Amino acid sequence: MTRVLTPRRAAAAVITAALLVPLAACGSDKKDDSKTDTPASGAAAPKAHLTVLAAASLTDVFKTVGAAYEKEHPGTKVKFSFAGSQELAAQVKQGAPADALVTADTKTMDGLKSDTGAATVIAKNRLVIATGKGNPKKVGALKDLADTKLKVVLAAPEVPVGRYSKKVLDAQKITVKPVSQEPNVRAVLSKVELGEADAGIVYKTDAATATAKVEAVDIPDAQNAVASYPAATLKTSKNAAAATAFVQWLSTPEAQKILQDAGFQKP
């Protein structure tokens, strides 16, 4: 049986259809909005609490680096553990819970290839002779360190700065008998600061942190050694994405400015 629409029923059908069209459109717009509002994957560094093992010579500058990174990446905290690079390597081998590593030489980092991601050099440094304020013993060159009347302190040969020191002294055929061999560059600097040594070989940036108590005697480039600082993530990190973001950030203009303002050289 064919049902005939009366004028009243026809009008009602038209009104109902008109009401349904906007509702369908609204449903369609909502679906599209949900797609465009979704943030792109990897658009921002993941939030995490990172532990970074870093060479002792980075102690001061990395405090500034960490503060800058946390400010730029709200929700992320960076904690540093500083020591001689050889000590850091031992910690990595022992499975210390950490996310990234920065050493003061490529040799130490190269020995940890099975434990790290790809390494990137983020800075370089040079050696200076540290003496007491005013240089009371009048040390002017590497050859002066051979004077047996001087109390000279060096880093141990397995420490990067100790290895660099040996390299430059051997190249000049200078024999030095240190009163002690320290586990990291900051220990060498401390001996000079406290007056327990007349001179010691440290990085330029370390001497710059103690200008109130220490004088820095430059070593000519032809007699000097260049220290490289590679950074890498650790494969055991539980925050792999956040650790990668931090290591990559160390090569950004902002991080590089902080390092170079502290006296480090470009990578």
Side-chain angles (χ1 to χ4, degrees):
M1 176 178 177
T2 303
R3 187 174 183 180
V4 179
L5 289 177
T6 66
R8 180 179 295 179
R9 286 177 177 174
V14 170
I15 292 171
T16 301
L19 290 173
L20 288 174
V21 169
L23 288 174
C26 289
S28 175
D29 288 346
K30 184 176 181 181
K31 184 176 181 181
D32 289 344
D33 287 345
S34 67
K35 289 181 180 179
T36 56
D37 288 345
T38 303
S41 177
K47 297 177 182 180
H49 284 217
L50 298 175
T51 297
V52 180
L53 306 179
S57 50
L58 295 167
T59 300
D60 292 271
V61 70
F62 261 23
K63 291 176 182 177
T64 304
V65 163
Y69 189 78
E70 289 178 357
K71 182 178 180 180
E72 189 174 316
H73 301 81
T76 294
K77 296 295 180 183
V78 185
K79 181 179 72 175
F80 297 103
S81 178
F82 299 104
S85 296
Q86 81 291 347
E87 293 181 46
L88 300 178
Q91 291 176 33
V92 171
K93 288 296 186 184
Q94 291 165 8
D99 302 290
L101 170 70
V102 188
T103 62
D105 66 336
T106 55
K107 181 177 180 179
T108 300
M109 186 67 81
D110 287 345
L112 296 168
K113 285 184 177 180
S114 61
D115 302 287
T116 69
T120 301
V121 173
I122 62 163
K124 292 186 178 181
N125 213 340
R126 287 184 179 272
L127 304 177
V128 296
I129 302 169
T131 72
K133 189 64 177 177
N135 194 2
K137 299 296 183 178
K138 307 302 179 187
V139 176
L142 283 171
K143 60 183 178 61
D144 296 334
L145 300 181
D147 187 344
T148 56
K149 294 179 182 179
L150 277 182
K151 291 188 291 182
V152 179
V153 62
L154 299 174
E158 62 268 19
V159 183
V161 71
R163 189 159 54 247
Y164 293 132
S165 298
K166 185 178 187 305
K167 178 181 178 180
V168 300
L169 291 170
D170 287 350
Q172 300 302 311
K173 296 180 171 55
I174 298 170
T175 300
V176 176
K177 295 182 178 180
V179 294
S180 69
Q181 293 183 314
E182 302 301 321
N184 59 66
V185 69
R186 284 307 173 98
V188 175
L189 184 67
S190 179
K191 290 281 187 180
V192 178
E193 284 184 282
L194 296 172
E196 295 177 11
D198 299 317
I201 297 179
V202 300
Y203 296 119
K204 180 179 180 180
T205 54
D206 289 287
T209 68
T211 53
K213 295 182 179 180
V214 167
E215 198 86 12
V217 177
D218 288 333
I219 300 172
D221 286 349
Q223 300 176 12
N224 215 323
V226 178
S228 294
Y229 290 74
T233 58
L234 294 176
K235 292 181 178 179
T236 55
S237 171
K238 295 181 179 179
N239 305 291
T244 298
F246 174 75
V247 169
Q248 291 177 342
W249 183 84
L250 292 174
S251 295
T252 64
E254 181 181 359
Q256 286 297 301
K257 185 179 186 305
I258 294 171
L259 288 162
Q260 288 159 34
D261 285 349
F264 288 87
Q265 298 176 2
K266 294 180 180 180

